[in-house]
Amino acid sequence: MIGRRSLIVQVFLRATPGGEALLRELWRSCGALGMSESAPGSVRDLPALHPTADRGSSESVLVLAARGTPRGCERTDQAFAFQSHDAYGCVVALAGDGTEDWASLERRWEEAAPTLHGSPPYLAAVLGEVRLLRGVYEGTAPFDEVAAALAHEPTATGQAVPGRRMRWSRVSESLALWDTSPEPRSATRTLVVVAADATGHLDGDALDGLLDEWSWVSDRPWPSPLTRYLLQSVKLRHLSAVRDRHLPAIQSLRHDVDALIDELIGLHRRVGSPTASVADGSRLIDDLMRAETALGRLQVRQADGLIGTLTTLQRMRRSAQITAANMAASVPVEPGRRQGEPLDTDHRLGQWLAEQLDDDAYYLEAVRQRADEVGRVAGAVTQQMLQRHQQHLLQVQGAVLGGILMALAAIQSIGYKVPLPGPLGGPAIALASTLALTLPGAVIRWSRPFGRQAPLRRFDLLAVALTGAAAGWLVVSAFFVWVVGSVAAPVWSASGAVVGAGLALFTAIAVGRRIHDVQR
């Protein structure tokens, strides 16, 4: 028979503002359970907390407050709160009145702390909750017989302790641990710790003392070895859950980077094709620059980019290694422990998680190195193509401007007069001059690689406005000469120039914005 039943609830929270709010809510729930007095040598109320404070090593512990039921009370319930580096802990012990079973103790806790079990906004701050069902086996018996007795003990969920169907971890000669959690990596965990006298030399008080020393407190409020072990265990489970939650995004990132690398390799193979036309070369440069830009964005994109994700994986791997080492230091791994035991399962989770994170980081690092190499080669090739393209553009500009100058020189040398009415001479000369001013920049922008990247500058806008004004002046003058049969008044010429300049600016700005949107 199992006697001296008690329940210890251990809630571990992230040291964040949300975790602090939940810790204070749980602390008020302890007051609702009748724990109205402070424990000896401690304060009852929680002090001001510093969620981001680094209190030294990852095993540094600060007890924040401790409270319990008044002396002479029928129940001797107690609780204490602590901070360990980046986590808060709230440990509540419900001893009961001697007649309550584990199921009733669990229900009493759930009724007093509804926030933890029914409010989703708090879930992000919860690392894990562990319910420790404790008891003393009355009589002298080996733990195999204790396991058989546990098979008939109900819990709050209505399930019986699996007993023989679950392997157990022998903590010491007189202590054994069972894990009755429904899910192997569940955030809420239920453990059973039973003290039993296998030698016939320990009474109930001695066994109860062994239970307190290992799973509760000894002479003062302080995290027990099991509490420190469970804190590291829930951290490991939390890290494992974070990895599982982000694994699809990591795989998608690897796929996207590989796809862009393959695209760059395919584009690189098209460089120097003997059948490619000038237009094909322009489109190839455009495609290369677009793929390089997309690959660069995937690498440097804040936290979810290739570099940021790789850094996060490396930090998580190191955290898993440190957490597993701290867990082993709290409750050392004994030689000969059977596979599948609760403690063995925790230690194997630490090893497995560190290996998985190492694999994830390794494959992502391989992708990053491949992206760097391919991007470097593709960037060099693109730069060479751009230089050749720029040289071609300079030749085109020189040929156009040279042709215009030669035509003007020939007209002047032979005295040729353009058959235009006198009023159109001024607008025609103005349009030819502004076209000569605008043409070099326009030729560059007609090239797709340059046109999609070079922004419109003040000189470009001025040249466009002058060209539009000259064209508007010429159109108005031609209309009056050939349609109205008279010379346009200055006000009409000025109006045509203003309208032409406005239309030219509007068109240039709209086209530039459209190209910018397409590029993005």
Side-chain angles (χ1 to χ4, degrees):
M1 178 179 178
I2 307 295
R4 303 195 182 200
R5 295 181 182 86
S6 61
L7 169 67
I8 295 181
V9 180
Q10 309 192 40
V11 182
F12 303 106
L13 311 167
R14 297 172 60 192
T16 61
E20 178 183 353
L22 182 52
L23 179 63
R24 295 189 181 278
E25 187 71 23
L26 293 173
W27 203 241
R28 285 190 288 269
S29 299
C30 293
L33 286 168
M35 304 178 210
S36 57
E37 293 189 355
S38 61
S42 184
V43 296
R44 187 192 67 175
D45 299 324
L46 290 174
L49 303 181
H50 305 282
T52 58
D54 189 348
R55 302 187 180 278
S57 68
S58 58
E59 275 298 286
S60 60
V61 174
L62 174 67
V63 175
L64 303 172
R67 65 195 306 169
T69 53
R71 291 184 179 182
C73 184
E74 184 179 4
R75 293 187 175 93
T76 56
D77 301 334
Q78 301 175 69
F80 71 91
F82 68 93
Q83 180 175 359
S84 176
H85 189 53
D86 57 351
Y88 297 136
C90 182
V91 184
V92 183
L94 302 181
D97 56 6
T99 62
E100 294 177 291
D101 58 9
W102 287 327
S104 60
L105 289 173
E106 286 188 276
R107 283 192 294 269
R108 187 151 66 92
W109 164 248
E110 292 176 358
E111 291 172 359
T115 299
L116 183 63
H117 307 103
S119 185
Y122 286 103
L123 297 182
V126 178
L127 289 173
E129 176 190 5
V130 181
R131 298 185 184 185
L132 196 60
L133 310 180
R134 307 192 317 161
V136 174
Y137 185 78
E138 298 177 353
T140 302
F143 280 110
D144 284 336
E145 294 186 16
V146 176
L150 285 175
H152 304 288
E153 294 288 343
T155 62
T157 60
Q159 299 175 343
V161 177
R164 291 184 184 275
R165 292 177 292 141
M166 286 286 291
R167 289 190 175 184
W168 43 273
S169 292
R170 186 162 186 164
V171 179
S172 67
E173 189 178 72
S174 302
L175 295 175
L177 176 72
W178 284 261
D179 190 343
T180 67
S181 306
E183 296 292 337
R185 301 180 192 175
S186 173
T188 301
R189 194 175 184 187
T190 302
L191 302 177
V192 178
V193 180
V194 176
D197 182 16
T199 62
H201 299 298
L202 299 174
D203 59 11
D205 291 338
L207 293 173
D208 212 13
L210 289 175
L211 266 180
D212 284 344
E213 184 177 352
W214 189 68
S215 62
W216 172 233
V217 296
S218 53
D219 56 342
R220 63 190 178 96
W222 190 260
S224 65
L226 182 58
T227 298
R228 297 195 297 272
Y229 172 90
L230 292 175
L231 171 59
Q232 306 305 322
S233 174
V234 298
K235 284 184 177 181
L236 277 179
R237 290 169 179 246
H238 178 72
L239 282 174
S240 179
V242 170
R243 176 187 175 270
D244 292 343
R245 188 165 59 249
H246 290 88
L247 189 58
I250 295 174
Q251 294 172 341
S252 176
L253 176 63
R254 285 171 49 189
H255 176 270
D256 293 342
V257 174
D258 282 334
L260 282 173
I261 292 174
D262 293 339
E263 182 180 355
L264 276 173
I265 293 175
L267 292 171
H268 184 267
R269 290 172 180 169
R270 291 166 48 192
V271 175
S273 174
T275 61
S277 62
V278 175
D280 291 336
S282 178
R283 284 192 294 269
L284 179 58
I285 297 176
D286 194 27
D287 292 340
L288 280 169
M289 295 178 68
R290 177 190 53 77
E292 288 178 28
T293 302
L295 183 60
R297 287 176 178 173
L298 278 181
Q299 292 188 78
V300 301
R301 189 177 59 191
Q302 294 187 354
D304 59 344
L306 184 60
I307 297 176
T309 302
L310 181 59
T311 302
T312 301
L313 285 174
Q314 292 171 342
R315 290 176 178 173
M316 289 178 63
R317 176 185 59 189
R318 184 57 180 159
S319 297
Q321 293 171 342
I322 293 174
T323 303
N326 290 337
M327 187 173 63
S330 301
V331 178
V333 180
E334 298 179 359
R337 180 165 289 163
R338 297 173 297 178
Q339 183 174 353
E341 295 180 9
L343 298 182
D344 175 76
T345 301
D346 289 337
H347 289 292
R348 287 181 181 272
L349 173 61
Q351 297 172 359
W352 175 86
L353 181 58
E355 292 172 356
Q356 293 300 311
L357 290 170
D358 188 63
D359 290 343
D360 295 338
Y362 174 82
Y363 288 118
L364 210 59
E365 173 64 20
V367 172
R368 187 193 66 81
Q369 292 180 359
R370 183 169 177 246
D372 287 345
E373 290 299 317
V374 173
R376 180 180 59 82
V377 174
V381 172
T382 304
Q383 187 63 31
Q384 294 176 359
M385 295 184 67
L386 284 173
Q387 290 177 355
R388 291 197 298 267
H389 195 76
Q390 188 175 16
Q391 293 174 358
H392 175 71
L393 289 177
L394 292 175
Q395 292 175 354
V396 172
Q397 291 181 42
V400 171
L401 293 177
I404 294 176
L405 291 175
M406 182 171 290
L408 292 176
I411 290 174
Q412 184 178 6
S413 63
I414 65 176
Y416 178 76
K417 293 184 178 181
V418 181
L420 283 177
L424 300 184
I429 294 173
L431 181 60
S433 301
T434 55
L435 283 176
L437 183 67
T438 309
L439 190 59
V443 171
I444 293 179
R445 294 184 182 282
W446 289 338
S447 169
R448 297 178 68 223
F450 289 99
R452 289 200 174 187
Q453 291 193 356
L456 288 172
R457 304 188 182 277
R458 293 181 180 178
F459 178 80
D460 300 322
L461 295 176
L462 177 62
V464 168
L466 290 176
T467 303
W473 182 17
L474 180 61
V475 170
V476 170
S477 298
F479 175 80
F480 272 87
V481 169
W482 289 328
V483 176
V484 180
S486 64
V487 179
V491 65
W492 287 108
S493 298
S495 300
V498 170
V499 172
L503 289 176
L505 283 175
F506 175 80
T507 303
I509 294 174
V511 172
R513 287 181 177 177
R514 181 179 178 184
I515 292 176
H516 179 70
D517 294 339
V518 171
Q519 182 184 0
R520 293 179 61 185

